[in-house]
Amino acid sequence: MFSSNLIGFILAVVSSAFIGSSFIIKKKGLRKAGANGARAGSGGYGYLLEPLWWVGMFTMIVGEIANFVAYIYAPAVLVTPLGALSIIVSAVLAHFMLNEKLQKMGMLGCLLCVVGSTMIVLHAPLEESLNSVQEIWVLATQPAFLLYVGSVVAVALVLILYCAPRYGQTNILIYIGICSVIGSLTVMSVKAIGIAIKLTLEGLNQAKYIETWIFAMVALTCVITQLNYLNMALDTFNTAVVSPIYYAMFTSFTIFASAIMFKDYSGQSASSIASELCGFITVLSGTSVLHSTREPDTPLITVSWYIQGNGELWKKDEDGSHPNMITIRPDYFK
């Protein structure tokens, strides 16, 4: 009989493989869509008509379903850090499919991710049994977690309404920051929904509680927000940069949120907590090494020219426009 943590571990590994692949497939879809219209990083939604992007989306959904089930059987402090494996998958596939070269130090970074993940698995706390969604609601409405939720909402609103329009195209932390802080609430809601479904299948109907539907609405809202800004980050910045930074920030906020809401570390020995933190730091180091050895994206430069009536070629002013304008974009030739 497999332990719940082992089942969660296996599902988390499967999830990472699918999610890591989805980054690459969606990136290729975004490139194809961007060659024929407005890029997602500039607010365009042409990628919704690109079949390849939908293939990547389907792959991500399969991975997220596996991740969803993993959260039912294992604590977030075990499942979430294993997302580092998706970075390895995306880095290797990007090397072959996107020509984003993986250097030898990048391979060392992958190895560090594996070692750190192993340490986390070996010292992860056991999942505590919850008997109803109402018990989870009590955990979600405790003052400490409500303070965290309020802080997340405030930070997200500042990033979305003020920072993103001004600095989103030049600062990678804006889009990824939105995904990460909102993502921590997604995980908490998804875990609650997963437990509710599991209890319902066991004969304890949880759909009759309004708390279940509140968790579902929160999860849906957070997932849509995450996907939107993750697409912007992927289309604007190099995949090899987005993946490790997103992992580091998302995992940190999720572990913090889970520690507050579910009190994951309660009852663990100091040595186990220290070992798990060392494992997480090792994984972060691996992602940093992997990121530092990858080539940055070619910056998006748009050069516009128009032809005067006398036949001379003139560069278009930044604020100007002309009906005979020719626009050349480097990414068109990728």
Side-chain angles (χ1 to χ4, degrees), residues 251-303:
T251 303
S252 299
F253 281 111
T254 299
I255 289 177
F256 187 54
S258 184
I260 295 173
M261 180 171 171
F262 292 101
K263 299 179 174 62
D264 292 319
Y265 295 105
S266 178
Q268 272 201 301
S269 65
S271 60
S272 293
I273 296 175
S275 297
E276 190 167 357
L277 290 177
C278 287
F280 180 51
I281 292 173
T282 302
V283 172
L284 289 180
S285 300
T287 59
S288 297
V289 171
L290 187 57
H291 157 55
S292 66
T293 59
R294 300 300 300 276
E295 299 173 354
D297 265 346
T298 302
L300 178 61
I301 302 174
T302 301
V303 182

Side-chain angles (χ1 to χ4, degrees), residues 9 36 49 89 137 144 180 202 206 210-211 223-224 230 300:
F9 166 73
N36 300 315
L49 301 177
V89 173
W137 183 256
S180 300
E202 292 174 351
Q206 302 298 303
I210 189 173
E211 291 87 350
V223 166
I224 292 174
L230 181 58
L300 178 61

Side-chain angles (χ1 to χ4, degrees), residues 51-69:
L52 188 59
W53 184 87
W54 283 106
V55 172
M57 190 65 193
F58 176 77
T59 305
M60 174 171 276
I61 290 173
V62 172
E64 292 296 349
I65 290 174
N67 203 41
F68 173 82
V69 180

Side-chain angles (χ1 to χ4, degrees), residues 158-170:
V158 170
L159 291 175
I160 292 172
L161 300 178
Y162 180 80
C163 297
R166 294 169 174 80
Y167 312 112
Q169 295 292 309
T170 56

